[in-house]
Amino acid sequence: MLDQDLDDIHPLFQGAPQTTEFKKLRKRIVRYTREAVEQYGMVERREDGSLPKWLVCLSGGKDSYTLLAVLYELKWRGLLPVDLLACNLDQGQPGFPATVLPEFLEKMQVPHRIEYQDTYSIVMDKVPQGHTYCALCSRLRRGNLYRIAREEGCSAVVLGHHRDDILETFFMNLFHGGRLATMPPKLVNEEGDLFVFRPLAHVAEADCEKFARAMNYPIIPCDLCGSQDGLQRQQVKQILDTWESNSPGRRQVMFRALMNARPSHLLDPKLFDFTGLALKNIDNSTETEEIPELR
């Protein structure tokens, strides 16, 4: 049972609320994360018996704090046989509280690496006035994280995207990209040398919010992209919020649909051989049944 022995917990969980509501929340997040790790085969089984090493990306937001805590929970309980290295990429954003994460990680006894790369100046220089920063900022951040993972001998870059991020990305692609696609829980990078994992794929954003706040983790807001109005993702989030408020549970139903795709009932000939479809047991000598006239 979680926290049955209060001395037998990782520092990340010291001071955790002892309410029934929080314990249920914590168990739910742990269960969903373990489910995703197992369902999508995130843990490598190495022939030499060595443990894979994951670079856990920590931005200082509620999602990445929840990710870090739940991975350590699973590791602490012997359910995640991997080595974890937390990493924060300080992108040179003015006013970023650079001491918060190093002090937090030291206090929590979490192995970590803090990397400074001024991608902020590049984004501000390259992105025209009035355009969103997210795409370029994300590419620069991801490139640096891949480099760090290689330098640290990690086989995977682990991100804190949750269920709602995945749903929003799906609808952004649907509405604006003209394709059915989203962020998968597991993929291989373009170079083919690193995995990208999203262990919180089944976890709701609201649960991450409640968890991080309840644990009083020092949340750092993103004032770069988060400060821009009218982003496509914000618009999609508002649509999903409206659907959820009108029909509670709608988000989870839509998420389940992403796990229940039927290529034969879509229209992509690259996914399903429509031209190869043929009728079975046809006897051309048999008289065709008369079709009633439509009225």
Side-chain angles (χ1 to χ4, degrees):
M1 181 178 295
L2 298 177
D3 293 353
Q4 185 175 18
D5 180 353
L6 293 180
D7 294 327
D8 182 30
I9 60 173
H10 191 273
L12 279 165
F13 283 95
Q14 289 178 355
Q18 295 303 303
T19 63
T20 299
E21 181 182 4
F22 179 80
K23 289 181 179 180
K24 288 182 178 179
L25 170 67
R26 177 177 170 183
K27 289 179 181 179
R28 181 166 63 248
I29 294 174
V30 170
R31 182 175 72 252
Y32 285 165
T33 304
R34 183 184 181 188
E35 177 183 274
V37 168
E38 293 179 351
Q39 184 171 5
Y40 300 106
M42 296 183 186
V43 177
E44 307 164 65
R45 304 298 179 183
R46 298 185 171 181
E47 294 182 358
D48 61 3
S50 63
L51 296 181
K53 187 176 182 181
W54 290 4
L55 188 76
V56 183
C57 302
L58 192 66
S59 67
K62 65 184 187 308
D63 308 328
S64 61
Y65 278 123
T66 302
L67 172 68
L68 183 69
V70 72
L71 291 181
Y72 266 95
E73 172 79 12
L74 291 171
K75 183 176 174 63
W76 192 257
R77 302 295 167 185
L79 301 173
L80 188 66
V82 301
D83 290 328
L84 302 174
L85 177 67
C87 177
N88 171 250
L89 179 64
D90 182 344
Q91 297 179 262
Q93 190 173 327
F96 182 78
T99 62
V100 170
L101 284 172
E103 291 175 356
F104 172 81
L105 294 169
E106 289 286 349
K107 180 181 178 181
M108 297 298 156
Q109 303 172 30
V110 173
H112 61 277
R113 173 170 168 175
I114 307 295
E115 179 84 5
Y116 178 82
Q117 291 289 333
D118 185 9
T119 63
Y120 173 84
S121 297
I122 299 175
V123 171
M124 298 303 292
D125 178 63
K126 299 295 184 182
V127 177
Q129 185 71 25
H131 290 237
T132 58
Y133 306 132
C134 295
L136 179 57
C137 181
S138 177
R139 286 198 301 271
L140 294 173
R141 181 172 62 249
R142 190 69 58 87
N144 278 288
L145 291 172
Y146 287 167
R147 171 183 56 81
I148 295 168
R150 296 181 185 107
E151 292 173 357
E152 295 291 344
C154 298
S155 60
V157 172
V158 186
L159 306 174
H161 295 126
H162 45 65
R163 181 201 68 181
D164 296 76
D165 287 325
I166 291 173
L167 265 180
E168 290 162 15
T169 300
F170 172 79
F171 281 103
M172 286 174 65
N173 280 319
L174 177 66
F175 295 155
H176 303 288
R179 60 183 179 274
L180 297 180
T182 188
M183 301 183 294
K186 176 182 179 181
L187 60 85
V188 175
N189 68 338
E190 292 182 0
E191 293 79 6
D193 64 337
L194 290 169
F195 287 111
V196 177
F197 295 150
R198 296 181 174 94
L200 297 183
H202 294 177
V203 178
E205 180 178 17
D207 282 352
C208 293
E209 174 78 23
K210 293 175 185 176
F211 179 84
R213 296 291 182 187
M215 290 302 303
N216 200 30
Y217 292 145
I219 296 174
I220 303 172
C222 176
D223 296 325
L224 181 58
C225 56
S227 64
Q228 294 180 282
D229 294 326
L231 297 179
Q232 293 176 355
R233 186 171 293 274
Q234 291 175 347
Q235 296 169 359
V236 168
K237 183 184 290 288
Q238 291 171 0
I239 292 172
L240 295 179
D241 286 343
T242 300
W243 288 347
E244 184 71 20
S245 63
N246 292 336
S247 180
R250 178 65 59 85
R251 269 191 171 94
Q252 186 59 23
V253 172
M254 291 187 292
F255 182 78
R256 286 204 304 269
L258 296 180
M259 303 172 65
N260 189 27
R262 298 186 180 183
S264 63
H265 287 56
L266 297 174
L267 283 78
D268 191 343
K270 297 187 294 297
L271 293 180
F272 188 80
D273 184 15
F274 293 100
T275 60
L277 283 177
L279 298 176
K280 297 181 179 179
N281 301 323
I282 296 297
D283 184 352
N284 292 328
S285 64
T286 303
E287 182 177 345
T288 304
E289 181 181 357
E290 182 178 350
I291 301 176
E293 181 180 353
L294 294 178
R295 297 184 182 276

